[in-house]
Amino acid sequence: MASFFEKRDPWGHSLSLWVVVLMIFVTPLLFGVLREIRQENNVENWLPEDDPQSKVLSWHRHSFGIEDRLLLSWDNSSLSDSRADRLKLALMGTPDEQGVRRGGSPYIQAVYTPQDAIQKMVDYHIEPEAAQERLKGVLVGTGMLKVQLTEAGQKRQEQTIQELLTKARQELGVELTVKPAFKEWVEIVDETQGVESVANPVAEDDDEDQVDFKALVAEIPTHNFQLTWPRMQPGAELTRQIKALALSLKRPGIIPGVSTAGKQEGDDPPESQPALVKDCFFAVGTPIAVAIELSDAGDADHAAAVTAVKTAAAEVGIPDDSLHLGGRPVAGAALNRMVKESSWNTAYPIWQFHRRSVTLFSGLIGIALAFLMLKSVRLACLVLLVSYYTTFVAVSIVPLTGGTMNMVLVVMPTLLTVLTLSGSIHVANYWKHAAHVDMKTAVTKAVEMARAPCVMASLTTAIGLASLLTSPLSPVRDFGLYSSIGCVISLLMVLYGLPSLLQLWPAKPPKASEIDVKHWHRFGRILSRHQMLVSLTCLVLFVSACYGFKWFRTETKVIRYFPDSSRVIQDYLFLEENLSGITPVDTVICFDETAQKNMNFVERVELVRQIEHKIAEHAEISGSISLADFRPVYEPLAPDASTLKKLRNAKFINETERRVKESLKEEESELGEKGAVRDGTVKSFIHVADKTVEMEQETDYGTRTVVVEKGDELWRITAQVAIMTDLDYGDLTHDLNQVTQSVLRDHAGTTHLVTGTIPLFLRTQQAVLESLIKSFGLAFIVIAIVMMILLRSILGGLITMLPNLMPIGVIFGLLSWMRISVDIGTMITASVALGIAVDGTLHLLTWFKIGIQEGKTKSEAVAAALGHCGPAMWQTSAAVGISLAMLYPAELLLVSRFGILMCALITAALLADIIFLPALLAGPLGSLIVASLNKERELAESVPLLQDGKETKPHLSHAIKRSQSEKSLET
């Protein structure tokens, strides 16, 4: 039967022409589709909606009306800084007579300033200083460690600072950074315009309880400079040690009236050495943070929302270089921007092309290496054209099916380029061998040689990638779906696209020197002679590296993808070291009907306050807040109180509950009518369940079911947790559960839930690990079954999987040895490495079996197989591995890690395929394959042949060939 490339259409044209025409026709259509591609990197949307933790978080946000927020602060901000109120006005606009907001930003739902919160607390008869303290670690910070020098210290301030820095480095191992003393921001008044021009734009309340914020800030003692250091926390042990070290600094002094003759400086007794540091302290009230809640439009476009906030900040006089933003929207927008900048970053000049476009530079290196390896410009161009065209078509499917790109799917183009390049180089090498014999049949012969191994490699890789569809994480499922489709497209391009181009525009026949593989034959014979030593060495390396999996860890924090020098990291560090944690974790206390009868409203407030205080004591929590913070502390009546006092107390309790519930109804009404709450203090912290909900939550003792009945009263306590730490969120969630339960166990009818971004991160980490294990396990089983069927041997199939597992085991094992966490992008590289290793394995196995069938010994078959496949595997690995290594300088660590890790995996896969697998084929694995082939041959020969309707013996030449093969095998 004629091959596809030998057939002609009715007009006499080769079918290859129509393949190329189809490729050209599709290109402009897909360009239009590709322009519509969008990015989506919202970690909270990774888990499916029916995941227990996602259901809890969704219920929680709906109940309390919580939307995405970002934190904003700036250098030298304080409670007396009027720019906070001006920023609120710029973002929210001014309400007209009908209460409709005019001006402002459509991306902003609400703005919360610490001044508003303190004023509200004061309205509830809480002292301003106490209100300020309650907001500490939430919207009000303590800033850097302020150092007040003595008179002696002020005289030698520079020497004192240097001595302090040196001692801290030597004795505590910490690098201190010195900052100028805090100075309250003072607005420059233009006297020509009068005082009115700088008046506070926010309407002032004439109430006598109006807080004097300038007085609060003025209470900060004078000081000479400030200190900061990595992971600074006011209550930490390191902070206490630094304070003690500073206060212990003394200058060698001279006792008045005593001769100094013959004395060296420092000989005086300790009591004569004056102290250099008078005091070290933190001051509550500076800096401050403004919490900004995004609208639906802002949540849909984080980049536009962040830009709107920065623009408003500049308008009210906050310089961009002193502005600090934090929160999930900020990290998401920065991630999207840096992904784009890795493709084209205009911040670098064109002559620094390796920095201007890391990905394009990587591609150019790959192109140059392809030219070098294939030693033919036209052949290299065709191979690269097919590789990049496959990637182009596969990526176009994403927007065509309504999908979006994300931080996982962004590595798919590289995967498909690698797989297509690998198959294309194999076909190109087969073509070179065939073209050296006969140019006319070169394409047909090359496709015949490549078809079986390429089909098996692509299908097994596609099955391995499709196994990722079992993951609960949507980005991983998308990657598995689109990458497996891409593998099928890659197979079609390798078997039809490239040969069609070769048939229409054939390259020059190769020279004899270009297909000389004697050195590969020599290498194969060396491996065969030392197959036992090589196999044992590889196994020892494999097992030793895999031992590191006992320290295997996962990481899902998006902020970890940014380098330490990036603006977003510096902003996060400023916020967490000076103000509050970035990530919120919420504890919801539920009072059912029984609990509400047993405890009056004020007692419930105090119970929530008690739990909140215990939560705030946790070392990793910067601060916490609940509705209890907006109520004065309740002092219960004495048992022997008079009847009048009891009546007044009962009236106070009822009135308090009535006011809170009325405020709650008003805020819920505003939310329903206008889509925004003017002052959502009550709604944000208390909710009466409007329906019965049953939820599950993971604990250390298994799954706990929490039932919230209609009418149950829900109280929210929100705590701020640092994200720039190595804190185990599982330990934190456990601690919060323990603390809350220790208080609630004595109160019938109460229960609780811990939810928010932290538990979601924890669940996502677990899902990452589950995805890695399940998908890889499923891929291993499927590919192993394929190998068993291919080799007709269960044991042979399992042994063949060792070289395929070796790259993943060695590289990921070494990562675990080095305590490097595996993130979502790193996890995907395991599937890529498995596909590359399987590709080389199948090509080598195919040619080894052909060698055995031709009567070669195992050693000769190994040498011949390496001669056929070695050049293609080496060329693919070198071109792809080196080009991917060029991604290492990328500023986005997601891209940088992927590049260097892929380079390591490709190198390991190459070594496994050209060293470990040949050694196994020369040893026990080869013996199993030989035995299997002998059985097949004996079975075939035992079946009589029919010739002219009569039984005959097998053809004589076949019998002679078999006899020669047996003699060769015996030899």
Short mmCIF file of all heavy atoms in Angstrom, two decimals, residues 117-161:
data_model
loop_
_atom_site.label_atom_id
_atom_site.label_comp_id
_atom_site.label_asym_id
_atom_site.label_seq_id
_atom_site.Cartn_x
_atom_site.Cartn_y
_atom_site.Cartn_z
N ALA A 117 -12.00 54.24 62.45
CA ALA A 117 -12.22 53.17 63.42
C ALA A 117 -12.04 53.68 64.85
O ALA A 117 -12.83 53.37 65.75
CB ALA A 117 -11.26 52.02 63.14
N ILE A 118 -11.00 54.48 65.08
CA ILE A 118 -10.76 55.02 66.42
C ILE A 118 -11.90 55.95 66.83
O ILE A 118 -12.38 55.91 67.97
CB ILE A 118 -9.40 55.74 66.47
CG1 ILE A 118 -8.27 54.71 66.36
CG2 ILE A 118 -9.25 56.55 67.76
CD1 ILE A 118 -6.90 55.33 66.29
N GLN A 119 -12.32 56.80 65.90
CA GLN A 119 -13.42 57.72 66.21
C GLN A 119 -14.69 56.95 66.57
O GLN A 119 -15.43 57.33 67.49
CB GLN A 119 -13.70 58.63 65.01
CG GLN A 119 -14.75 59.70 65.26
CD GLN A 119 -14.39 60.64 66.39
OE1 GLN A 119 -13.35 61.31 66.33
NE2 GLN A 119 -15.20 60.69 67.44
N LYS A 120 -14.95 55.85 65.87
CA LYS A 120 -16.14 55.05 66.17
C LYS A 120 -16.04 54.43 67.56
O LYS A 120 -17.01 54.36 68.30
CB LYS A 120 -16.32 53.97 65.10
CG LYS A 120 -17.71 53.35 65.10
CD LYS A 120 -17.91 52.50 63.88
CE LYS A 120 -19.35 52.01 63.78
NZ LYS A 120 -20.31 53.09 63.55
N MET A 121 -14.84 53.96 67.92
CA MET A 121 -14.64 53.40 69.26
C MET A 121 -14.84 54.46 70.33
O MET A 121 -15.46 54.21 71.37
CB MET A 121 -13.24 52.80 69.36
CG MET A 121 -13.02 51.56 68.52
SD MET A 121 -11.32 50.95 68.70
CE MET A 121 -11.29 49.63 67.47
N VAL A 122 -14.31 55.67 70.07
CA VAL A 122 -14.47 56.76 71.03
C VAL A 122 -15.95 57.12 71.19
O VAL A 122 -16.41 57.42 72.29
CB VAL A 122 -13.66 57.99 70.57
CG1 VAL A 122 -13.99 59.21 71.42
CG2 VAL A 122 -12.16 57.69 70.66
N ASP A 123 -16.71 57.03 70.09
CA ASP A 123 -18.15 57.29 70.18
C ASP A 123 -18.84 56.30 71.11
O ASP A 123 -19.91 56.60 71.66
CB ASP A 123 -18.79 57.23 68.79
CG ASP A 123 -18.33 58.38 67.90
OD1 ASP A 123 -17.81 59.38 68.44
OD2 ASP A 123 -18.46 58.27 66.66
N TYR A 124 -18.25 55.14 71.27
CA TYR A 124 -18.79 54.13 72.19
C TYR A 124 -18.10 54.20 73.55
O TYR A 124 -18.03 53.20 74.27
CB TYR A 124 -18.63 52.73 71.59
CG TYR A 124 -19.60 52.43 70.47
CD1 TYR A 124 -19.15 52.32 69.16
CD2 TYR A 124 -20.96 52.26 70.72
CE1 TYR A 124 -20.02 52.05 68.13
CE2 TYR A 124 -21.84 52.00 69.68
CZ TYR A 124 -21.37 51.90 68.39
OH TYR A 124 -22.25 51.63 67.36
N HIS A 125 -17.54 55.39 73.84
CA HIS A 125 -16.98 55.68 75.17
C HIS A 125 -15.72 54.86 75.48
O HIS A 125 -15.52 54.40 76.60
CB HIS A 125 -18.04 55.44 76.25
CG HIS A 125 -19.34 56.12 75.96
ND1 HIS A 125 -19.48 57.49 75.93
CD2 HIS A 125 -20.56 55.61 75.66
CE1 HIS A 125 -20.74 57.80 75.62
NE2 HIS A 125 -21.42 56.68 75.45
N ILE A 126 -14.90 54.68 74.46
CA ILE A 126 -13.60 54.05 74.64
C ILE A 126 -12.55 55.14 74.56
O ILE A 126 -12.60 56.00 73.67
CB ILE A 126 -13.35 52.96 73.57
CG1 ILE A 126 -14.41 51.87 73.68
CG2 ILE A 126 -11.95 52.37 73.68
CD1 ILE A 126 -14.40 50.89 72.54
N GLU A 127 -11.58 55.14 75.45
CA GLU A 127 -10.55 56.16 75.47
C GLU A 127 -9.71 56.08 74.19
O GLU A 127 -9.45 54.98 73.67
CB GLU A 127 -9.63 55.99 76.68
CG GLU A 127 -10.30 56.28 78.01
CD GLU A 127 -10.76 57.74 78.09
OE1 GLU A 127 -10.02 58.63 77.60
OE2 GLU A 127 -11.86 57.97 78.62
N PRO A 128 -9.30 57.23 73.63
CA PRO A 128 -8.52 57.23 72.38
C PRO A 128 -7.27 56.35 72.45
O PRO A 128 -6.95 55.64 71.50
CB PRO A 128 -8.16 58.70 72.18
CG PRO A 128 -9.24 59.45 72.89
CD PRO A 128 -9.60 58.61 74.08
N GLU A 129 -6.56 56.41 73.60
CA GLU A 129 -5.34 55.59 73.74
C GLU A 129 -5.68 54.11 73.70
O GLU A 129 -4.96 53.31 73.08
CB GLU A 129 -4.62 55.93 75.05
CG GLU A 129 -4.01 57.31 75.10
CD GLU A 129 -5.07 58.40 75.35
OE1 GLU A 129 -6.24 58.04 75.65
OE2 GLU A 129 -4.73 59.59 75.25
N ALA A 130 -6.78 53.73 74.33
CA ALA A 130 -7.19 52.31 74.32
C ALA A 130 -7.62 51.90 72.91
O ALA A 130 -7.33 50.79 72.46
CB ALA A 130 -8.32 52.09 75.32
N ALA A 131 -8.34 52.79 72.23
CA ALA A 131 -8.77 52.50 70.85
C ALA A 131 -7.58 52.31 69.94
O ALA A 131 -7.54 51.40 69.09
CB ALA A 131 -9.66 53.63 70.34
N GLN A 132 -6.58 53.16 70.11
CA GLN A 132 -5.36 53.05 69.31
C GLN A 132 -4.67 51.72 69.57
O GLN A 132 -4.20 51.05 68.65
CB GLN A 132 -4.42 54.21 69.65
CG GLN A 132 -3.11 54.19 68.90
CD GLN A 132 -2.21 55.35 69.32
OE1 GLN A 132 -1.80 56.16 68.51
NE2 GLN A 132 -1.91 55.45 70.60
N GLU A 133 -4.65 51.30 70.82
CA GLU A 133 -4.01 50.04 71.19
C GLU A 133 -4.76 48.85 70.59
O GLU A 133 -4.15 47.87 70.18
CB GLU A 133 -3.95 49.91 72.72
CG GLU A 133 -3.16 48.73 73.23
CD GLU A 133 -1.67 48.83 72.94
OE1 GLU A 133 -1.16 49.97 72.81
OE2 GLU A 133 -1.02 47.77 72.86
N ARG A 134 -6.08 48.94 70.53
CA ARG A 134 -6.88 47.84 69.98
C ARG A 134 -6.65 47.66 68.48
O ARG A 134 -6.81 46.55 67.96
CB ARG A 134 -8.36 48.08 70.24
CG ARG A 134 -8.74 48.01 71.72
CD ARG A 134 -10.24 48.19 71.93
NE ARG A 134 -10.57 48.21 73.35
CZ ARG A 134 -11.81 48.22 73.84
NH1 ARG A 134 -12.83 48.22 72.99
NH2 ARG A 134 -12.02 48.22 75.13
N LEU A 135 -6.28 48.71 67.80
CA LEU A 135 -6.03 48.63 66.36
C LEU A 135 -4.58 48.29 66.03
O LEU A 135 -4.22 48.17 64.87
CB LEU A 135 -6.38 49.96 65.68
CG LEU A 135 -7.86 50.25 65.45
CD1 LEU A 135 -8.02 51.59 64.76
CD2 LEU A 135 -8.51 49.16 64.61
N LYS A 136 -3.76 48.13 67.06
CA LYS A 136 -2.34 47.83 66.85
C LYS A 136 -2.19 46.49 66.13
O LYS A 136 -2.80 45.50 66.50
CB LYS A 136 -1.58 47.79 68.17
CG LYS A 136 -0.08 47.59 68.01
CD LYS A 136 0.63 47.65 69.34
CE LYS A 136 0.36 46.40 70.16
NZ LYS A 136 1.17 46.36 71.40
N GLY A 137 -1.39 46.49 65.08
CA GLY A 137 -1.17 45.27 64.33
C GLY A 137 -2.25 44.98 63.32
O GLY A 137 -2.21 43.93 62.66
N VAL A 138 -3.23 45.89 63.18
CA VAL A 138 -4.29 45.73 62.19
C VAL A 138 -4.24 46.88 61.19
O VAL A 138 -3.90 46.70 60.03
CB VAL A 138 -5.67 45.63 62.86
CG1 VAL A 138 -6.76 45.43 61.81
CG2 VAL A 138 -5.71 44.48 63.86
N LEU A 139 -4.57 48.09 61.69
CA LEU A 139 -4.47 49.28 60.85
C LEU A 139 -3.49 50.30 61.41
O LEU A 139 -3.23 51.32 60.78
CB LEU A 139 -5.85 49.94 60.69
CG LEU A 139 -6.89 49.16 59.88
CD1 LEU A 139 -8.20 49.92 59.83
CD2 LEU A 139 -6.39 48.85 58.48
N VAL A 140 -3.00 50.04 62.60
CA VAL A 140 -2.03 50.94 63.24
C VAL A 140 -0.80 50.13 63.60
O VAL A 140 -0.92 49.05 64.18
CB VAL A 140 -2.63 51.61 64.49
CG1 VAL A 140 -1.56 52.44 65.20
CG2 VAL A 140 -3.82 52.46 64.13
N GLY A 141 0.37 50.65 63.25
CA GLY A 141 1.60 49.93 63.53
C GLY A 141 2.41 50.54 64.65
O GLY A 141 2.07 51.59 65.21
N THR A 142 3.50 49.87 64.94
CA THR A 142 4.44 50.37 65.96
C THR A 142 5.71 50.90 65.32
O THR A 142 6.56 51.47 66.00
CB THR A 142 4.81 49.25 66.94
OG1 THR A 142 5.32 48.14 66.19
CG2 THR A 142 3.59 48.79 67.72
N GLY A 143 5.83 50.68 64.01
CA GLY A 143 6.99 51.21 63.31
C GLY A 143 8.28 50.51 63.70
O GLY A 143 8.30 49.40 64.22
N MET A 144 9.38 51.19 63.43
CA MET A 144 10.70 50.65 63.72
C MET A 144 11.08 50.90 65.18
O MET A 144 10.42 51.67 65.88
CB MET A 144 11.73 51.28 62.78
CG MET A 144 11.54 50.88 61.33
SD MET A 144 12.60 51.79 60.18
CE MET A 144 11.53 53.15 59.76
N LEU A 145 12.14 50.23 65.62
CA LEU A 145 12.62 50.41 66.99
C LEU A 145 13.30 51.77 67.08
O LEU A 145 14.27 52.05 66.38
CB LEU A 145 13.61 49.29 67.34
CG LEU A 145 14.19 49.36 68.75
CD1 LEU A 145 13.10 49.16 69.80
CD2 LEU A 145 15.29 48.32 68.93
N LYS A 146 12.77 52.60 67.96
CA LYS A 146 13.27 53.96 68.11
C LYS A 146 14.31 53.99 69.23
O LYS A 146 14.06 53.46 70.31
CB LYS A 146 12.11 54.91 68.38
CG LYS A 146 11.15 54.98 67.19
CD LYS A 146 9.84 55.62 67.53
CE LYS A 146 8.94 55.71 66.29
NZ LYS A 146 8.66 54.39 65.68
N VAL A 147 15.44 54.61 68.96
CA VAL A 147 16.55 54.63 69.91
C VAL A 147 16.78 56.06 70.37
O VAL A 147 16.98 56.96 69.56
CB VAL A 147 17.84 54.07 69.25
CG1 VAL A 147 18.99 54.10 70.25
CG2 VAL A 147 17.60 52.66 68.74
N GLN A 148 16.76 56.23 71.71
CA GLN A 148 16.99 57.53 72.32
C GLN A 148 18.35 57.50 73.01
O GLN A 148 18.58 56.69 73.92
CB GLN A 148 15.88 57.83 73.33
CG GLN A 148 15.93 59.23 73.92
CD GLN A 148 14.81 59.46 74.90
OE1 GLN A 148 14.45 58.58 75.67
NE2 GLN A 148 14.24 60.65 74.88
N LEU A 149 19.25 58.35 72.56
CA LEU A 149 20.60 58.36 73.11
C LEU A 149 20.70 59.27 74.32
O LEU A 149 19.94 60.23 74.48
CB LEU A 149 21.60 58.84 72.04
CG LEU A 149 21.71 57.98 70.76
CD1 LEU A 149 22.68 58.64 69.79
CD2 LEU A 149 22.15 56.57 71.09
N THR A 150 21.67 58.95 75.17
CA THR A 150 21.99 59.84 76.29
C THR A 150 22.81 61.01 75.76
O THR A 150 23.16 61.07 74.58
CB THR A 150 22.79 59.08 77.35
OG1 THR A 150 24.03 58.66 76.76
CG2 THR A 150 22.03 57.87 77.87
N GLU A 151 23.13 61.92 76.64
CA GLU A 151 23.96 63.06 76.24
C GLU A 151 25.32 62.59 75.75
O GLU A 151 25.85 63.09 74.75
CB GLU A 151 24.12 64.02 77.41
CG GLU A 151 24.86 65.30 77.05
CD GLU A 151 24.94 66.27 78.22
OE1 GLU A 151 24.24 66.07 79.23
OE2 GLU A 151 25.72 67.24 78.11
N ALA A 152 25.88 61.58 76.43
CA ALA A 152 27.17 61.03 76.01
C ALA A 152 27.06 60.35 74.65
O ALA A 152 27.94 60.45 73.80
CB ALA A 152 27.68 60.03 77.05
N GLY A 153 25.94 59.66 74.42
CA GLY A 153 25.74 59.00 73.15
C GLY A 153 25.55 59.96 72.01
O GLY A 153 25.99 59.72 70.87
N GLN A 154 24.88 61.10 72.27
CA GLN A 154 24.65 62.09 71.23
C GLN A 154 25.95 62.74 70.79
O GLN A 154 26.10 63.14 69.63
CB GLN A 154 23.67 63.15 71.73
CG GLN A 154 22.26 62.62 71.93
CD GLN A 154 21.32 63.66 72.51
OE1 GLN A 154 21.59 64.86 72.42
NE2 GLN A 154 20.23 63.21 73.11
N LYS A 155 26.92 62.83 71.70
CA LYS A 155 28.19 63.45 71.36
C LYS A 155 29.00 62.58 70.40
O LYS A 155 29.81 63.08 69.63
CB LYS A 155 29.01 63.70 72.63
CG LYS A 155 28.43 64.81 73.50
CD LYS A 155 29.28 65.03 74.74
CE LYS A 155 28.72 66.16 75.60
NZ LYS A 155 29.54 66.36 76.83
N ARG A 156 28.80 61.30 70.46
CA ARG A 156 29.51 60.38 69.55
C ARG A 156 28.48 59.45 68.89
O ARG A 156 28.61 58.23 68.93
CB ARG A 156 30.57 59.59 70.32
CG ARG A 156 30.04 58.78 71.47
CD ARG A 156 31.14 58.26 72.40
NE ARG A 156 32.19 57.54 71.72
CZ ARG A 156 32.16 56.21 71.51
NH1 ARG A 156 31.12 55.51 71.88
NH2 ARG A 156 33.18 55.62 70.92
N GLN A 157 27.49 60.05 68.23
CA GLN A 157 26.38 59.28 67.67
C GLN A 157 26.85 58.30 66.58
O GLN A 157 26.44 57.15 66.55
CB GLN A 157 25.31 60.21 67.10
CG GLN A 157 24.11 59.48 66.50
CD GLN A 157 22.95 60.41 66.21
OE1 GLN A 157 22.72 61.37 66.95
NE2 GLN A 157 22.22 60.13 65.13
N GLU A 158 27.72 58.75 65.68
CA GLU A 158 28.18 57.89 64.60
C GLU A 158 28.92 56.67 65.14
O GLU A 158 28.71 55.54 64.68
CB GLU A 158 29.07 58.68 63.64
CG GLU A 158 28.35 59.74 62.84
CD GLU A 158 27.26 59.14 61.95
OE1 GLU A 158 27.47 58.02 61.45
OE2 GLU A 158 26.21 59.79 61.79
N GLN A 159 29.80 56.91 66.14
CA GLN A 159 30.54 55.79 66.73
C GLN A 159 29.60 54.83 67.44
O GLN A 159 29.77 53.61 67.40
CB GLN A 159 31.60 56.31 67.70
CG GLN A 159 32.70 57.11 67.05
CD GLN A 159 32.38 58.61 67.00
OE1 GLN A 159 31.21 58.99 66.91
NE2 GLN A 159 33.42 59.43 67.04
N THR A 160 28.59 55.40 68.11
CA THR A 160 27.62 54.56 68.83
C THR A 160 26.86 53.66 67.85
O THR A 160 26.67 52.47 68.10
CB THR A 160 26.63 55.45 69.59
OG1 THR A 160 27.34 56.26 70.52
CG2 THR A 160 25.62 54.59 70.34
N ILE A 161 26.44 54.24 66.73
CA ILE A 161 25.70 53.45 65.73
C ILE A 161 26.57 52.33 65.18
O ILE A 161 26.13 51.18 65.07
CB ILE A 161 25.20 54.37 64.60
CG1 ILE A 161 24.12 55.32 65.12
CG2 ILE A 161 24.69 53.56 63.42
CD1 ILE A 161 23.66 56.36 64.10
#
